[in-house]
Amino acid sequence: MTIYEFDIINRSGSTYTDVVISWAQDTDLGNWQDDYIGCDTVHNVGFSYNGDSIDEPNSLVPNFGNYPPITGNVILSGPIAPPGDLIDNNHNGVIDESGEEILLSGFHGINNVISSPVGSLISPRDYYNAQRGYWKDSLPVTSGGSGYGGTIPTTFLFPGNPFDTAQWNEASAGINPNDRFIILNCGSATMNPGDTIHFSIATFVVQDSSLLWGTQAYYDQIPQGCSKIRNWHENNSWPGCGALFD
Protein backbone atom coordinates (compact mmCIF):
# COMPACT_ATOMS: atom_id res chain seq x y z
CA MET A 1 0.00 0.00 0.00
CA THR A 2 1.16 3.52 -0.78
CA ILE A 3 -0.58 6.69 0.39
CA TYR A 4 -0.60 9.99 -1.47
CA GLU A 5 -1.63 13.31 0.10
CA PHE A 6 -2.04 16.66 -1.61
CA ASP A 7 -2.90 20.17 -0.47
CA ILE A 8 -4.41 22.06 -3.39
CA ILE A 9 -4.32 25.79 -2.66
CA ASN A 10 -6.04 28.61 -4.51
CA ARG A 11 -3.34 31.28 -4.38
CA SER A 12 -5.10 33.48 -6.93
CA GLY A 13 -7.62 36.23 -6.38
CA SER A 14 -10.28 34.34 -8.35
CA THR A 15 -13.04 31.99 -7.26
CA TYR A 16 -13.14 28.67 -9.08
CA THR A 17 -16.38 26.72 -9.36
CA ASP A 18 -17.00 23.12 -10.43
CA VAL A 19 -13.50 22.04 -9.32
CA VAL A 20 -12.98 18.30 -9.80
CA ILE A 21 -9.94 16.47 -8.43
CA SER A 22 -9.06 13.28 -10.28
CA TRP A 23 -6.71 10.36 -9.79
CA ALA A 24 -5.69 8.73 -13.07
CA GLN A 25 -3.98 5.36 -13.22
CA ASP A 26 -2.85 2.97 -15.93
CA THR A 27 -3.01 -0.11 -13.73
CA ASP A 28 -1.30 -2.75 -15.91
CA LEU A 29 -1.59 -5.84 -13.70
CA GLY A 30 1.38 -7.82 -14.98
CA ASN A 31 0.29 -8.65 -18.51
CA TRP A 32 -1.89 -5.62 -19.26
CA GLN A 33 -3.72 -7.35 -22.12
CA ASP A 34 -6.28 -9.17 -19.93
CA ASP A 35 -7.45 -6.63 -17.34
CA TYR A 36 -10.88 -5.57 -16.14
CA ILE A 37 -11.88 -2.53 -14.06
CA GLY A 38 -14.71 -1.51 -11.75
CA CYS A 39 -15.68 0.57 -8.74
CA ASP A 40 -17.39 0.22 -5.37
CA THR A 41 -19.15 3.41 -4.35
CA VAL A 42 -19.80 2.26 -0.77
CA HIS A 43 -16.05 2.00 -0.18
CA ASN A 44 -15.06 4.92 -2.46
CA VAL A 45 -12.72 2.70 -4.46
CA GLY A 46 -11.83 2.12 -8.09
CA PHE A 47 -10.09 -1.15 -8.87
CA SER A 48 -8.53 -3.33 -11.54
CA TYR A 49 -8.46 -7.12 -11.68
CA ASN A 50 -7.52 -9.88 -14.09
CA GLY A 51 -10.22 -10.69 -16.64
CA ASP A 52 -9.39 -14.41 -16.56
CA SER A 53 -7.91 -16.93 -14.15
CA ILE A 54 -4.35 -16.80 -15.48
CA ASP A 55 -2.18 -13.74 -16.01
CA GLU A 56 -0.46 -15.00 -19.14
CA PRO A 57 3.18 -14.29 -19.98
CA ASN A 58 4.00 -11.11 -21.83
CA SER A 59 7.36 -10.62 -23.50
CA LEU A 60 7.74 -7.10 -22.09
CA VAL A 61 6.85 -7.50 -18.40
CA PRO A 62 6.69 -10.20 -15.70
CA ASN A 63 3.33 -11.89 -15.25
CA PHE A 64 1.52 -13.26 -12.19
CA GLY A 65 0.57 -16.64 -13.63
CA ASN A 66 -2.07 -18.56 -11.64
CA TYR A 67 -2.33 -15.99 -8.83
CA PRO A 68 -3.39 -12.67 -10.35
CA PRO A 69 -3.71 -9.84 -7.81
CA ILE A 70 -6.25 -7.04 -7.49
CA THR A 71 -5.27 -3.40 -7.19
CA GLY A 72 -7.50 -0.75 -5.64
CA ASN A 73 -7.46 3.01 -5.18
CA VAL A 74 -9.49 4.21 -2.20
CA ILE A 75 -10.17 7.91 -1.65
CA LEU A 76 -9.64 8.84 2.00
CA SER A 77 -10.27 12.59 2.04
CA GLY A 78 -11.57 15.21 -0.32
CA PRO A 79 -13.17 18.65 -0.49
CA ILE A 80 -15.86 19.68 1.96
CA ALA A 81 -19.30 19.14 0.46
CA PRO A 82 -21.65 22.09 -0.08
CA PRO A 83 -23.99 22.29 2.94
CA GLY A 84 -27.54 21.15 2.34
CA ASP A 85 -26.90 19.56 -1.08
CA LEU A 86 -28.97 16.47 -0.10
CA ILE A 87 -26.23 14.14 -1.43
CA ASP A 88 -24.47 11.37 0.48
CA ASN A 89 -21.09 12.56 -0.77
CA ASN A 90 -18.97 10.16 1.28
CA HIS A 91 -21.33 7.15 0.87
CA ASN A 92 -21.69 6.47 4.60
CA GLY A 93 -25.50 6.40 4.55
CA VAL A 94 -25.87 9.87 6.10
CA ILE A 95 -26.82 13.01 4.16
CA ASP A 96 -25.48 16.47 4.95
CA GLU A 97 -23.66 15.65 8.19
CA SER A 98 -21.34 18.32 9.59
CA GLY A 99 -17.98 18.38 7.82
CA GLU A 100 -19.04 15.89 5.15
CA GLU A 101 -16.39 15.39 2.48
CA ILE A 102 -16.83 14.64 -1.20
CA LEU A 103 -15.10 11.32 -1.84
CA LEU A 104 -15.69 9.16 -4.93
CA SER A 105 -18.14 11.20 -7.02
CA GLY A 106 -17.42 9.38 -10.27
CA PHE A 107 -15.44 6.55 -11.81
CA HIS A 108 -14.40 6.51 -15.45
CA GLY A 109 -12.42 3.95 -17.43
CA ILE A 110 -11.26 3.64 -21.00
CA ASN A 111 -9.99 0.92 -23.32
CA ASN A 112 -6.37 1.97 -23.74
CA VAL A 113 -5.80 0.23 -27.08
CA ILE A 114 -8.32 2.00 -29.28
CA SER A 115 -8.92 5.61 -30.33
CA SER A 116 -12.73 5.64 -30.51
CA PRO A 117 -14.83 7.71 -28.07
CA VAL A 118 -14.25 5.01 -25.41
CA GLY A 119 -10.51 4.83 -26.15
CA SER A 120 -7.30 6.56 -25.14
CA LEU A 121 -7.49 10.10 -23.75
CA ILE A 122 -5.38 12.56 -25.75
CA SER A 123 -6.41 16.18 -25.33
CA PRO A 124 -7.20 18.32 -22.28
CA ARG A 125 -10.84 18.24 -23.43
CA ASP A 126 -10.77 14.42 -23.32
CA TYR A 127 -9.61 14.48 -19.70
CA TYR A 128 -12.08 17.20 -18.72
CA ASN A 129 -14.92 15.13 -20.19
CA ALA A 130 -13.74 12.06 -18.26
CA GLN A 131 -13.68 14.10 -15.03
CA ARG A 132 -17.35 14.92 -15.47
CA GLY A 133 -18.66 11.55 -16.66
CA TYR A 134 -18.55 12.04 -20.42
CA TRP A 135 -16.83 10.22 -23.27
CA LYS A 136 -14.40 11.89 -25.68
CA ASP A 137 -17.24 12.85 -28.04
CA SER A 138 -19.07 14.55 -25.12
CA LEU A 139 -21.79 11.89 -24.90
CA PRO A 140 -22.53 10.93 -21.27
CA VAL A 141 -21.47 7.66 -19.71
CA THR A 142 -24.65 5.56 -19.50
CA SER A 143 -25.68 2.65 -17.34
CA GLY A 144 -25.38 -0.84 -18.82
CA GLY A 145 -23.35 -2.51 -21.55
CA SER A 146 -20.08 -0.79 -22.37
CA GLY A 147 -21.34 2.46 -20.84
CA TYR A 148 -21.59 4.07 -24.25
CA GLY A 149 -24.72 4.91 -26.20
CA GLY A 150 -27.34 4.04 -23.58
CA THR A 151 -30.19 6.12 -22.22
CA ILE A 152 -29.56 6.45 -18.46
CA PRO A 153 -26.62 8.76 -17.63
CA THR A 154 -24.33 7.80 -14.76
CA THR A 155 -21.00 8.97 -13.37
CA PHE A 156 -20.02 5.48 -12.17
CA LEU A 157 -18.78 2.99 -14.75
CA PHE A 158 -19.05 -0.72 -13.83
CA PRO A 159 -20.14 -0.30 -10.18
CA GLY A 160 -21.35 -3.90 -9.81
CA ASN A 161 -19.80 -6.73 -7.83
CA PRO A 162 -17.56 -8.59 -10.31
CA PHE A 163 -18.83 -11.91 -8.92
CA ASP A 164 -22.51 -11.13 -9.51
CA THR A 165 -23.61 -11.59 -13.12
CA ALA A 166 -26.86 -9.75 -12.36
CA GLN A 167 -24.93 -6.57 -11.59
CA TRP A 168 -23.27 -4.27 -14.08
CA ASN A 169 -19.62 -5.19 -14.49
CA GLU A 170 -17.33 -5.83 -17.44
CA ALA A 171 -17.89 -9.60 -17.43
CA SER A 172 -21.70 -9.35 -17.28
CA ALA A 173 -21.56 -6.79 -20.10
CA GLY A 174 -19.70 -9.29 -22.30
CA ILE A 175 -16.65 -7.07 -22.77
CA ASN A 176 -13.32 -8.68 -23.59
CA PRO A 177 -10.54 -7.90 -21.09
CA ASN A 178 -7.66 -5.78 -22.35
CA ASP A 179 -5.54 -2.76 -21.43
CA ARG A 180 -7.47 -0.39 -19.15
CA PHE A 181 -6.97 3.13 -17.79
CA ILE A 182 -9.02 4.43 -14.86
CA ILE A 183 -9.94 7.84 -13.48
CA LEU A 184 -11.41 8.38 -10.00
CA ASN A 185 -13.22 11.70 -9.67
CA CYS A 186 -13.79 13.77 -6.56
CA GLY A 187 -16.00 16.87 -6.83
CA SER A 188 -17.32 19.23 -7.72
CA ALA A 189 -16.28 21.93 -5.28
CA THR A 190 -15.86 25.70 -5.12
CA MET A 191 -12.47 27.22 -4.27
CA ASN A 192 -12.47 30.80 -3.04
CA PRO A 193 -9.21 32.79 -2.87
CA GLY A 194 -6.99 31.27 -0.19
CA ASP A 195 -8.97 28.02 0.08
CA THR A 196 -7.18 24.68 0.48
CA ILE A 197 -8.51 21.26 -0.47
CA HIS A 198 -6.80 18.30 1.17
CA PHE A 199 -6.97 15.22 -1.04
CA SER A 200 -5.61 11.83 0.00
CA ILE A 201 -5.80 8.43 -1.64
CA ALA A 202 -4.32 5.00 -0.94
CA THR A 203 -3.29 2.57 -3.68
CA PHE A 204 -3.14 -1.04 -2.55
CA VAL A 205 -2.48 -4.48 -4.00
CA VAL A 206 -3.92 -7.73 -2.62
CA GLN A 207 -2.77 -11.19 -3.68
CA ASP A 208 -3.72 -14.43 -1.93
CA SER A 209 -2.67 -17.73 -3.50
CA SER A 210 -5.22 -19.59 -1.36
CA LEU A 211 -8.16 -17.88 -3.07
CA LEU A 212 -9.46 -19.05 -6.42
CA TRP A 213 -9.84 -16.38 -9.08
CA GLY A 214 -13.46 -15.45 -9.78
CA THR A 215 -14.89 -16.53 -6.43
CA GLN A 216 -16.73 -14.25 -4.05
CA ALA A 217 -13.87 -14.61 -1.55
CA TYR A 218 -11.43 -13.46 -4.22
CA TYR A 219 -13.36 -10.26 -4.89
CA ASP A 220 -14.07 -9.72 -1.18
CA GLN A 221 -10.43 -8.71 -0.92
CA ILE A 222 -11.46 -5.31 -2.32
CA PRO A 223 -13.90 -4.16 0.42
CA GLN A 224 -11.82 -5.89 3.09
CA GLY A 225 -8.72 -3.98 2.02
CA CYS A 226 -10.66 -0.70 1.91
CA SER A 227 -12.09 -1.23 5.41
CA LYS A 228 -8.63 -1.88 6.85
CA ILE A 229 -7.14 1.19 5.21
CA ARG A 230 -10.02 3.47 6.24
CA ASN A 231 -9.80 2.25 9.82
CA TRP A 232 -6.05 2.94 9.88
CA HIS A 233 -6.64 6.38 8.34
CA GLU A 234 -9.45 7.44 10.68
CA ASN A 235 -7.57 6.29 13.78
CA ASN A 236 -4.12 7.38 12.57
CA SER A 237 -2.82 3.93 13.45
CA TRP A 238 -0.90 2.81 10.38
CA PRO A 239 0.86 -0.55 10.74
CA GLY A 240 4.65 -0.52 10.84
CA CYS A 241 5.05 -2.76 7.80
CA GLY A 242 7.71 -0.79 5.97
CA ALA A 243 9.49 2.50 5.47
CA LEU A 244 7.45 5.69 5.73
CA PHE A 245 8.39 8.51 3.35
CA ASP A 246 7.06 12.00 3.83
Side-chain angles (χ1 to χ4, degrees):
M1 174 184 65
T2 53
I3 306 163
Y4 306 88
E5 297 193 87
F6 305 88
D7 282 326
I8 302 168
I9 306 169
N10 181 4
R11 299 190 186 278
S12 77
S14 302
T15 295
Y16 293 92
T17 60
D18 298 323
V19 175
V20 180
I21 302 164
S22 297
W23 179 259
Q25 187 181 79
D26 187 1
T27 52
D28 289 351
L29 283 176
N31 180 358
W32 63 83
Q33 296 170 317
D34 61 352
D35 293 346
Y36 272 157
I37 58 172
C39 69
D40 177 346
T41 58
V42 173
H43 293 91
N44 298 290
V45 63
F47 52 83
S48 179
Y49 58 101
N50 223 57
D52 53 34
S53 61
I54 301 176
D55 189 47
E56 295 85 359
N58 183 300
S59 61
L60 299 178
V61 297
N63 65 294
F64 290 101
N66 294 323
Y67 307 109
I70 298 174
T71 182
N73 301 268
V74 55
I75 297 178
L76 300 173
S77 59
I80 300 299
D85 65 357
L86 301 179
I87 299 173
D88 183 10
N89 293 283
N90 54 11
H91 306 113
N92 67 349
V94 181
I95 295 175
D96 293 336
E97 69 267 36
S98 176
E100 181 183 25
E101 295 179 320
I102 304 174
L103 298 183
L104 185 65
S105 61
F107 175 80
H108 196 81
I110 58 100
N111 188 334
N112 220 16
V113 296
I114 57 179
S115 58
S116 72
V118 299
S120 299
L121 305 178
I122 304 297
S123 70
R125 171 64 64 176
D126 292 345
Y127 281 92
Y128 183 57
N129 279 344
Q131 287 186 295
R132 300 178 300 124
Y134 292 87
W135 298 106
K136 289 165 58 176
D137 58 2
S138 296
L139 288 179
V141 175
T142 53
S143 182
S146 67
Y148 183 81
T151 58
I152 304 174
T154 180
T155 57
F156 295 104
L157 188 68
F158 307 128
N161 185 331
F163 178 73
D164 190 344
T165 58
Q167 297 187 30
W168 183 33
N169 53 61
E170 287 214 73
S172 67
I175 301 171
N176 292 325
N178 210 309
D179 188 14
R180 299 289 190 264
F181 185 93
I182 64 174
I183 298 179
L184 285 73
N185 297 320
C186 184
S188 63
T190 297
M191 293 193 74
N192 296 306
D195 279 357
T196 297
I197 292 176
H198 183 73
F199 174 74
S200 62
I201 188 167
T203 292
F204 66 94
V205 179
V206 287
Q207 184 183 30
D208 188 340
S209 59
S210 70
L211 299 176
L212 290 176
W213 175 90
T215 62
Q216 183 64 70
Y218 176 81
Y219 296 118
D220 282 345
Q221 294 179 100
I222 302 169
Q224 289 168 359
C226 291
S227 295
K228 286 182 180 180
I229 293 169
R230 186 161 301 283
N231 181 64
W232 292 332
H233 177 256
E234 291 178 351
N235 294 286
N236 194 27
S237 59
W238 300 100
C241 55
L244 177 65
F245 297 92
D246 189 356

